[in-house]
Amino acid sequence: VISVLYIDVENFKHINDAFGHPAGDKALSIVAGILQGRIRPTDNICRSYKHGDEFVVVLRELDRVRAITIGLHLQQAVASDKTFELSPLSISFGVAELRQEDMSNNPADDLSRIIGYADADRIRSRKTAPQENTQLVLGLGVEEKQAA
């Protein structure tokens, strides 16, 4: 099983607009460092190809429930970090998992598909209750996977 966290840095546009792009770059660097410092060496993190303020974390051999736990820990770590003095930092995230039996013969297609599910999960959680991502994320993604 592979799970993916699709992470968005909240209010990033505000940081860039209010404090300038160097401040935005510093905020992204801080978030990336926090994320990298809290995942396993066997996991992977990268910036999203869609938007510069989003990250994708690939968690190997972790199911959706355990991935949500990781996401919540990452969310708390970012929120409690005070390194960025200009504005509080926070993240939202979505989660999706891909089980062995659902994998195709094309790993690139599988990865693209699971990233899309995790991003849709993130978007849906923000629309449902933007301030309550941590409470809602546990129930999200099931319908998305069944509908796919």
Side-chain angles (χ1 to χ4, degrees):
V1 65
I2 294 173
S3 290
V4 166
L5 297 174
Y6 198 96
I7 297 173
D8 180 53
V9 178
E10 295 295 314
N11 301 314
F12 181 72
K13 182 177 180 345
H14 166 73
I15 292 170
N16 266 347
D17 292 347
F19 307 111
H21 289 274
D25 291 345
K26 181 177 181 185
L28 288 175
S29 179
I30 290 168
V31 170
I34 293 168
L35 300 178
Q36 186 67 51
R38 285 169 176 76
I39 62 171
R40 302 170 304 175
T42 56
D43 298 327
N44 299 96
I45 182 172
C46 64
R47 295 257 307 264
S48 169
Y49 59 90
K50 288 183 173 182
H51 304 285
D53 63 335
E54 297 173 344
F55 295 88
V56 173
V57 181
V58 178
L59 303 166
R60 300 164 196 245
E61 303 301 323
L62 283 184
D63 65 14
R64 180 179 172 74
V65 173
R66 291 174 62 200
I68 290 168
T69 301
I70 299 291
L72 293 171
H73 286 295
L74 295 174
Q75 197 172 48
Q76 179 60 39
V78 170
S80 65
D81 186 83
K82 305 301 180 212
T83 307
F84 190 70
E85 299 168 353
L86 299 174
S87 176
L89 294 175
S90 64
I91 60 172
S92 61
F93 66 93
V95 183
E97 78 172 26
L98 185 63
R99 297 199 165 275
Q100 183 70 35
E101 59 269 18
D102 296 324
M103 292 182 186
S104 70
N105 291 328
N106 188 330
D109 286 347
D110 289 341
L111 187 57
S112 180
R113 184 167 41 119
I114 192 173
I115 288 171
Y117 290 156
D119 187 25
D121 188 52
R122 178 191 61 82
I123 291 167
R124 186 171 44 202
S125 70
R126 289 173 84 190
K127 287 181 180 176
T128 305
Q131 301 304 316
E132 300 177 19
N133 185 30
T134 58
Q135 286 77 34
L136 291 174
V137 74
L138 286 168
L140 297 175
V142 175
E143 299 100 14
E144 185 73 26
K145 186 174 181 186
Q146 292 173 348

